[in-house]
Amino acid sequence: MPRIPVHTIDDPRLAPYRELNQRNLTRQSGLFIAEGEKVTERLIASRFPVDSLLAEADWAERLEPRLPPDTPIYVAEQRLLEATVGFNFHRGVLGCGRRMVGPAIHQVVPPTQDRATILICPSVQDPTNLGSIIRTAAAFGCQALVLGGQCADPFSRRVLRVSMGAALHLPLVESRDLAADLEKLRQADYELVATVIDAAAEPLAAFRRTEKLALLLGSEGHGLGPEWLSLCHRRVTIPMQLGIDSLNVAVAAAVILYHCRGVGL
């Protein structure tokens, strides 16, 4: 499909891109928005179908050869692009992707006995935190991220932007029954480890991981609930000083995953 010039924000073909500062495409829409050069390029390189692009002319020309020939590219001047999305936008291109059914827990468990790390978030609700966690999990080689039903939408525009598109490539399990999925990990010989704020827990510096590790992160305000703590084999903590009682959950995830990446049995 050729590049298609658009001249008004009322063009019905631009509906998925309209007023993004005031709304997100929901799971029910079947779509999501990739914002900016890097995230759009990672969308194009991912398994997710590209529904359309909205781009300035130079970006449309650059990306067209990388798309299936029937993918529409709506070409707009920067002023119209900004008026459509509803905020100052200087990154030249957005992509609209089509959601796909994510994997189930058994599909992300590696079949071998090699070292594996699966990160689990029962209830991380802040999109910025979730995006940072996804990017960190990908950076430190996690095999998958498992999300409970109270988590933010991993394909919301903000999560995708903060994760720099890592959500398009890291396997994400949106669990419908997290307790049952944790039991499946236990049966697959994963050690479930809770990250907590508790002086009685193992300090991170002394923590030695097992080969198959499932690491649980708590919510921003309340940590891990008792229903999750009761399912874990061990608890680990990052000791604090100077009266600071906790780290941001995404920062804590980075510290713990870095430690677990480099420490053996």
Side-chain angles (χ1 to χ4, degrees):
M1 183 176 289
R3 283 166 267 167
I4 304 167
V6 291
H7 304 289
T8 172
I9 63 173
D10 297 323
D11 190 315
R13 295 170 295 187
L14 301 187
Y17 300 99
R18 199 168 291 130
E19 296 181 347
L20 295 178
N21 63 330
Q22 298 181 22
R23 66 183 180 90
N24 271 312
L25 295 177
T26 65
R27 290 175 170 89
Q28 288 72 30
S29 74
L31 302 172
F32 62 87
I33 294 296
E35 178 185 333
E37 167 191 355
K38 292 186 182 300
V39 182
T40 300
E41 288 182 331
R42 286 167 185 166
L43 166 61
I44 293 171
S46 75
R47 69 185 181 93
F48 293 89
V50 181
D51 201 65
S52 67
L53 296 188
L54 174 60
E56 295 180 51
D58 56 342
W59 275 107
E61 182 178 2
R62 190 181 312 178
L63 294 175
E64 184 178 18
R66 297 173 54 186
L67 292 166
D70 59 346
T71 303
I73 305 177
Y74 303 117
V75 183
E77 295 181 355
Q78 180 181 332
R79 187 174 302 175
L80 175 61
L81 196 153
E82 290 185 356
T84 301
V85 301
F87 56 91
N88 293 332
F89 184 77
H90 304 287
R91 290 180 285 277
V93 60
L94 301 100
C96 182
R98 189 160 293 279
R99 294 175 185 248
M100 299 179 69
V101 176
I105 193 72
H106 71 273
Q107 295 173 303
V108 302
V109 174
T112 68
Q113 296 300 313
D114 295 339
R115 174 178 294 200
T117 304
I118 293 178
L119 196 61
I120 299 159
C121 297
S123 184
V124 174
Q125 299 176 355
D126 182 86
T128 299
N129 284 339
L130 184 57
S132 296
I133 289 169
I134 293 171
R135 186 175 182 182
T136 298
F140 290 123
C142 290
Q143 275 60 48
L145 175 62
V146 181
L147 304 176
Q150 298 302 310
C151 283
D153 178 3
F155 295 98
S156 71
R157 180 175 63 91
R158 185 179 299 177
V159 171
L160 281 174
R161 184 180 72 241
V162 174
S163 79
M164 291 301 295
L168 300 169
H169 298 278
L170 178 71
L172 299 176
V173 177
E174 295 188 72
S175 177
R176 295 187 176 183
D177 187 340
L178 186 56
D181 283 342
L182 293 180
E183 180 57 31
K184 291 175 184 176
L185 289 175
R186 292 173 66 102
Q187 293 174 3
D189 296 325
Y190 277 78
E191 183 173 53
L192 275 60
V193 177
T195 60
V196 298
I197 303 168
D198 184 350
E202 294 180 65
L204 182 61
F207 178 73
R208 296 295 181 269
R209 60 166 291 163
T210 54
E211 286 293 281
K212 301 174 78 172
L213 172 65
L215 192 66
L216 280 74
L217 298 174
S219 67
E220 293 89 341
H222 304 288
L224 287 168
E227 69 274 27
W228 310 121
L229 292 173
S230 66
L231 297 176
C232 291
H233 299 94
R234 299 161 69 186
R235 303 182 186 189
V236 65
T237 192
I238 302 173
M240 304 288 165
Q241 297 183 19
L242 301 176
I244 303 300
D245 60 357
S246 68
L247 294 174
N248 171 275
V249 62
V251 174
V255 172
I256 295 170
L257 285 175
Y258 180 81
H259 175 87
C260 291
R261 183 189 189 195
V263 177
L265 293 171

